[in-house]
Amino acid sequence: MSTPQISEALTRIEVSRTNAMTDRATELREQGKDIISLSVGEPDFATPAHVIAAAKAALDAGQTKYTPVTGTMRLKEAAALHFRRDLGIETSAQNVIVSAGGKQSIFHAMLATVSAGEEVIVPSPWWVSYPQIIRFAGGKVVPLITHAKDNFRFAPADLEALIGPSTQWLMLNSPGNPTGAVYPRDMLEGIGEVLRAHPRVMVLSDDIYAPLNYTGEPHATLANLCPDLADRICTVSGVSKSHAMTGFRIGVATGPDWLISAMGRLQSHNSGNPASISQAAAAAAFEGPQEFLQDWNERFRARRDLVVNAINAIPGLSTPVPDGAFYCFIEAASWMERFGDDEGLAMHLLDHGVAVVAASAFGGKDGFRISFATDEGVLEEALQRIAKALA
Ligand code: GLU
């Protein structure tokens, strides 16, 4: 057997724990176990029919060859329309890159810019892949710790306190994964004010959950509120969450010329173009009707209420009400003595037929994340199993 020869860069990261837990749940199901997976953030709704039709039409039309590396002009135009119409960001196809999921856009943005010793401020709890990507790129993760009592949002002054000479990026994710935190307009304006004093700092604004906002307020994003900062903001979006298209793997990003071009340079040696059929489907998603999102939003909101009420009724568990996305970040400190740590608790819940992701995967502790992007009946059953497992 050959000796493993792992690169030094790879030793800095671990496998994605959301993906690992979801794969584990699938494996157990294939073995015939009755497992409800609340581990992955993936809408259970069917992909809209017009999107499926567009994918089939692309296949029939023979769109099965390479496309330009950074995406077809049709999809880049459609993505630019999405950034303008849905996020209020003034951009055009020239400043858009299409990649294999938002994850790849973020990966390329970091890898294309971060050098050893550069610092990236990441609000924590964070989405699993942010710190891993930054570390892989050679950067240093600077956690900006947020708390449940503040609905997991940081104040502009908290950011100011962490910015130093090596700060290169700030990650923003609103609505956020894993907490559902939504930054309102005034907080983002305050963040913008801090950034004006630090011209070196760029912002990666991950807006993938923009349509899933239960505050009743329109989505707010930094590049719209502070257009004077737009030349140092990279906004990432996609169709995975909004159009239930996770398997298509299409993400889009917009930002300054130099950055989009640097990301494209990297992509040309990495995946090359994202899948041609997926691009045709994503263009149809951005170009087509968006009205159904309101209905999905209402259903997610009802599921959120169901989950929050049920979780807060289980002894030793608590969660604030998430304002967006489809996750609850649950605190369970009083159970740690019995289970050792949050991984122990997650394994115990898995033994009781529910897959969740331990809080430590997200830079938190003593708790777990669940996704409520699952049908109400299944959610009710999962919540009963959690209650029973902790009875
Ligand atoms: N973003 C989703 C989640 O957090 C998908 C899985 C992943 O890539 O992490 O569950």
Side-chain angles (χ1 to χ4, degrees):
M1 207 165 69
S2 67
T3 314
Q5 298 184 39
I6 302 298
S7 71
E8 189 277 321
L10 196 69
T11 60
R12 293 185 224 129
I13 70 170
E14 60 173 19
V15 74
S16 159
R17 283 164 69 184
T18 49
N19 292 167
M21 182 52 111
T22 307
D23 290 352
R24 177 86 189 117
T26 308
E27 205 177 280
L28 290 171
R29 275 197 198 128
E30 281 166 5
Q31 290 165 14
K33 304 232 164 65
D34 173 17
I35 304 289
I36 299 178
S37 177
L38 304 184
S39 55
V40 76
E42 168 166 78
D44 60 319
F45 303 134
T47 308
H50 68 279
V51 172
I52 301 291
K56 287 182 180 161
L59 265 176
D60 290 339
Q63 292 176 20
T64 54
K65 304 288 169 63
Y66 290 131
T67 75
V69 166
T70 58
T72 61
M73 190 42 80
R74 178 182 167 202
L75 178 51
K76 289 202 274 188
E77 300 271 12
L81 166 76
H82 157 70
F83 281 119
R84 289 193 303 267
R85 178 192 61 203
D86 306 325
L87 305 182
I89 297 174
E90 269 321 310
T91 189
S92 63
Q94 285 67 37
N95 287 72
V96 168
I97 183 167
V98 182
S99 31
K103 196 185 286 203
Q104 194 186 33
S105 281
I106 298 167
F107 203 95
H108 286 170
M110 292 298 117
L111 224 60
T113 57
V114 175
S115 304
E118 297 279 19
E119 294 183 356
V120 183
I121 298 178
V122 191
S124 124
W126 47 49
W127 174 50
V128 269
S129 291
Y130 295 151
Q132 308 291 332
I133 292 171
I134 295 159
R135 284 185 199 122
F136 187 76
K140 184 175 167 218
V141 177
V142 177
L144 201 179
I145 295 165
T146 66
H147 304 279
K149 69 172 174 44
D150 304 319
N151 271 16
F152 296 108
R153 292 180 305 213
F154 67 86
D158 305 333
L159 170 65
E160 176 80 68
L162 290 184
I163 297 180
S166 301
T167 308
Q168 188 180 20
W169 285 94
L170 163 70
M171 307 295 271
L172 275 182
N173 177 213
S174 172
N177 176 3
T179 63
V182 171
Y183 284 80
R185 230 187 133 90
D186 58 335
M187 283 182 103
L188 287 174
E189 280 166 349
I191 291 168
E193 199 48 46
V194 169
L195 292 167
R196 280 190 188 100
H198 301 279
R200 185 176 186 267
V201 182
M202 295 181 285
V203 180
L204 192 137
S205 181
D206 179 352
D207 288 31
I208 192 87
Y209 296 99
L212 301 165
N213 181 333
Y214 317 119
T215 60
E217 297 295 321
H219 175 68
T221 193
L222 202 64
N224 165 261
L225 294 172
C226 306
D228 57 312
L229 302 179
D231 68 350
R232 46 184 167 122
I233 301 174
C234 176
T235 307
V236 175
S237 186
V239 286
S240 293
K241 317 291 178 180
S242 60
H243 289 70
M245 290 174 66
T246 45
F248 284 83
R249 308 309 305 134
I250 293 292
V252 293
T254 190
D257 294 336
W258 69 267
L259 178 63
I260 297 301
S261 131
M263 290 162 73
R265 187 162 12 141
L266 198 51
Q267 189 158 301
S268 74
H269 292 293
N270 180 346
S271 54
N273 67 267
S276 55
I277 305 304
S278 295
Q279 289 192 63
F286 286 137
E287 290 163 358
Q290 308 292 314
E291 292 70 28
F292 69 93
L293 287 174
Q294 207 172 335
D295 176 47
W296 285 15
N297 211 291
E298 273 158 29
R299 292 184 59 192
F300 279 130
R301 190 197 169 104
R303 291 170 179 186
R304 174 201 67 173
D305 294 343
L306 173 98
V307 168
V308 167
N309 291 335
I311 289 291
N312 285 328
I314 298 173
L317 299 190
S318 68
T319 176
V321 181
D323 278 330
F326 37 55
Y327 306 103
C328 269
F329 200 65
I330 298 161
E331 200 268 340
S334 62
W335 287 101
M336 290 305 117
E337 205 180 324
R338 174 155 164 216
F339 297 108
D341 58 17
D342 57 357
E343 271 298 338
L345 172 58
M347 285 306 135
H348 176 73
L349 296 178
L350 190 61
D351 286 344
H352 284 76
V354 186
V356 303
V357 185
S360 49
F362 307 97
K365 65 182 182 76
D366 302 347
F368 58 96
R369 182 196 81 170
I370 61 174
S371 157
F372 53 81
T374 301
D375 147 277
E376 286 79 348
V378 178
L379 276 177
E380 273 167 13
E381 169 64 25
L383 290 160
Q384 275 167 22
R385 289 183 190 183
I386 295 174
K388 203 162 150 213
L390 299 178

